[in-house]
Amino acid sequence: MRNRKHVLCIVGTRPEGIKMAPLIKVLKREPWARVTVLATAQHRDLLDQVLALFDIEPDVDLDIMKPNQSLPELTARLITALDGTFAELMPDIVLAQGDTTTVMTAALVAFYRNIPFGHVEAGLRTHDLGNPFPEEMNRMVAGHLSRWHFVPTERSRGNLLREGISDSAIHVTGNTVIDALLEVAERELPLDVPLDPSRRLVLVTAHRRENFGEPFRAVCRAIRQLADRYEDIEVLYPVHPNPNVRATAHELLGDHPRIRLCRPLDYAPFVEAQKRAYLILTDSGGVQEEAPALGKPVLVLRAETERPEAVDEGVVRLVGTDEARIVTEASRLLDDAAAYRSMARGVSPYGDGLAARRIVAVLRDAMQPEANAGLS
Ligand code: UD1
Ligand code: UDP
């Protein structure tokens, strides 16, 4: 088709790779769209793993990551690099997902260059700029610069309406993470970590910047207490490569016989680990969305969540970073079968696996009149 619209899809970190992959795949089948994938590589290793799994080869790679990057420096380098690329490519649409520095800067540069921006996973809020930090600010900035807001739930739609965003710009699509999860869960790729099948698996992930220092040390002490107290559990903790996380995790948990620290798992084996898990402790956003769909109880190691839907369903509980509270809440689930069952119901408040198709349908409708007008 002539006059195809140039759609620039941006990915920076692991979760963006996972959540943009289904959208990129569906978009690439659209005759009206010419798709360019730009990796900022805010994450290098974690992003590469995910892109390889989904067979996505970036057309442009900004290779931004530096060890232990500071937020101002990362932001400055992203703005400069993205602006150069936007100037060269002049896309018709820019799409990005979530609340990372990549997304905030992509929305900002698109705004400066007057290129319409579509925000995938829009409208998530805690209404607390310190929790999560800096993501609440990132998504507010991106949200106020977007032409299309693709929100996962009615609740996220309500958040945007209260901020004065026009209802006609908001589209409830579900979260593309469930599209990705369903596709990968079907593949049943092996979890290549030797685990003791006689023990209940407690899966842990943690990386939030607002938890660095004492809150994260308290989380580690709680995990250690649980491993000491319950001989029938085994903890699997794929440690995030952020140096602030790695150092503390290895210092406080590295030598316990029933705590296995490993490198971040590729997405497919990590999904298998979630399926195998009895219980999940995490501060991750994506895991809060995936685990309920897999019927796994989640204790969230954060003060607030922008994903209250699963909390309201009773399958996710916010436990914060207090050592005693984490031990009490996890013990309740490890000791009390009825309490466990009530949280181990498979519910999926964030999506049904069709989010990418809904997003593409909105963009197709928005682009088609112009595209059709250009045909002769
Ligand atoms: C980032 C996002 C966060 C998201 C998380 C997903 C920001 C500010 N933070 O946090 O919202 O939830 O990704 O995981 O956008 N590193 C590596 N290899 C990698 C990835 C990271 O070594 O593949 C190390 C580097 O030292 C890097 C550091 O981790 O400097 C921090 O990376 P960064 O992207 O700044 O923040 P995250 O904590 O990963
Ligand atoms: N994940 C993964 N390997 C791991 C840990 C997590 O593939 O070792 C996946 C997880 O299934 C989810 C995503 O990474 O889809 C979440 O990423 P992360 O927790 O880094 O970021 P957040 O979702 O908090 O932004």
Side-chain angles (χ1 to χ4, degrees):
M1 185 186 277
R2 279 168 50 200
N3 287 330
R4 284 189 305 165
K5 297 293 175 184
H6 187 183
V7 185
L8 181 61
C9 294
I10 300 192
V11 290
T13 67
R14 168 171 65 194
E16 294 161 67
I18 292 167
K19 290 173 172 179
M20 286 297 283
L23 183 53
I24 291 168
K25 188 171 153 193
V26 177
L27 260 178
K28 282 193 164 172
R29 293 201 297 253
E30 290 291 299
W32 60 269
R34 177 163 69 86
V35 179
T36 297
V37 176
L38 182 160
T40 65
Q42 174 180 334
H43 282 176
R44 181 74 278 167
D45 331 77
L46 297 186
L47 181 67
D48 290 351
Q49 285 176 18
V50 167
L51 296 181
L53 174 72
F54 289 105
D55 279 329
I56 295 171
E57 224 171 285
D59 304 287
V60 183
D61 191 326
L62 302 180
D63 202 19
I64 284 287
M65 195 191 91
K66 287 195 177 160
N68 209 7
Q69 53 209 1
S70 79
L71 295 177
E73 194 207 347
L74 173 64
T75 304
R77 284 190 296 116
L78 278 167
I79 288 177
T80 308
L82 285 169
D83 190 46
T85 312
F86 287 16
E88 197 182 312
L89 299 178
M90 283 312 284
D92 297 299
I93 303 176
V94 173
L95 298 176
Q97 175 281 330
D99 51 23
T100 65
T101 304
T102 288
V103 179
M104 185 268 288
T105 52
L108 187 60
V109 173
F111 170 74
Y112 285 144
R113 291 215 166 256
N114 202 20
I115 303 167
F117 181 79
H119 192 199
V120 179
E121 196 187 80
L124 274 62
R125 297 287 186 274
T126 59
H127 308 290
D128 175 351
L129 279 172
N131 277 298
F133 174 88
E135 290 85 355
E136 181 76 358
M137 177 277 290
N138 284 343
R139 58 196 172 212
M140 286 181 72
V141 171
H144 284 269
L145 302 176
S146 302
R147 166 83 60 90
W148 299 279
H149 307 260
F150 301 111
V151 300
T153 66
E154 283 297 335
R155 190 111 166 210
S156 32
R157 174 171 168 264
N159 288 336
L160 293 182
L161 291 175
R162 277 187 293 281
E163 289 178 15
I165 306 285
S166 162
D167 201 11
S168 61
I170 307 173
H171 307 275
V172 183
T173 58
N175 196 314
T176 53
V177 74
I178 304 298
D179 304 23
L181 177 71
L182 295 181
E183 190 204 315
V184 168
E186 220 171 61
R187 297 196 209 174
E188 295 200 333
L189 292 168
L191 167 60
D192 235 358
V193 182
L195 292 171
D196 182 346
S198 68
R199 293 199 159 91
R200 291 183 288 178
L201 179 65
V202 176
L203 181 64
V204 176
T205 78
H207 69 83
R208 298 250 83 89
R209 283 176 188 250
E210 68 274 14
N211 287 350
F212 289 175
E214 181 45 31
F216 182 55
R217 296 184 77 83
V219 166
C220 290
R221 289 195 300 269
I223 292 164
R224 200 175 176 99
Q225 268 202 56
L226 287 165
D228 284 340
R229 186 184 287 190
Y230 292 92
E231 290 214 350
D232 72 327
I233 70 169
E234 180 170 22
V235 176
L236 175 64
Y237 176 2
V239 181
H240 194 283
N242 193 314
N244 301 285
V245 175
R246 274 177 62 85
T248 306
H250 283 274
E251 177 199 334
L252 298 182
L253 303 174
D255 61 344
H256 197 287
R258 287 190 305 284
I259 300 176
R260 180 179 290 273
L261 302 182
C262 63
R263 296 166 66 81
L265 295 174
D266 285 4
Y267 184 52
F270 187 76
V271 169
E272 282 304 308
Q274 289 187 79
K275 287 199 217 161
R276 283 276 306 276
Y278 185 79
L279 168 64
I280 300 176
L281 307 184
T282 190
D283 64 13
S284 160
V287 177
Q288 288 179 64
E289 294 156 344
E290 293 165 346
L294 297 169
K296 302 299 173 171
V298 179
L299 299 180
V300 178
L301 308 165
R302 294 172 49 181
E304 318 249 13
T305 183
E306 59 293 283
R307 295 168 171 87
E309 293 86 350
V311 177
D312 292 349
E313 288 275 0
V315 297
V316 168
R317 274 172 89 92
L318 265 186
V319 299
T321 55
D322 179 73
E323 184 179 342
R325 170 113 199 262
I326 296 167
V327 173
T328 305
E329 295 278 1
S331 299
R332 199 173 67 88
L333 292 173
L334 290 164
D335 291 334
D336 179 345
Y340 181 84
R341 271 197 308 277
S342 75
M343 283 188 74
R345 294 176 287 113
V347 293
S348 184
Y350 303 106
D352 58 2
L354 300 173
R357 285 191 226 176
R358 293 191 187 99
I359 292 169
V360 170
V362 170
L363 295 173
R364 187 193 304 127
D365 279 357
M367 290 297 123
Q368 206 71 337
E370 287 175 53
N372 288 341
L375 289 174
S376 54

